[in-house]
Amino acid sequence: PGDEAHDATLGAALLGRAHNAIARELGLAPSAAEPRTPALAAPGATFVTLHRRSALRGCIGTLSAER
């Protein structure tokens, strides 16, 4: 880990997973690709902020790895 190719794959996987999770909660079909990466199987922390027109709309997450 730490190389640009790994970082790009992990970034794309995380973004796709986030888009799909939001879509499911809104009752929409998931449509974003979620590239496979072993990093998603490791415990990790996630913190997400949502903005709309530069205004903070919400945030959720944790700064410590829980699952």
Side-chain angles (χ1 to χ4, degrees), residues 14-40:
L14 290 171
L15 187 57
R17 185 163 289 186
H19 281 176
N20 290 336
I22 292 168
R24 278 190 295 276
E25 288 299 315
L26 295 175
L28 304 172
S31 61
E34 293 185 29
R36 291 189 178 273
T37 175
L40 292 181

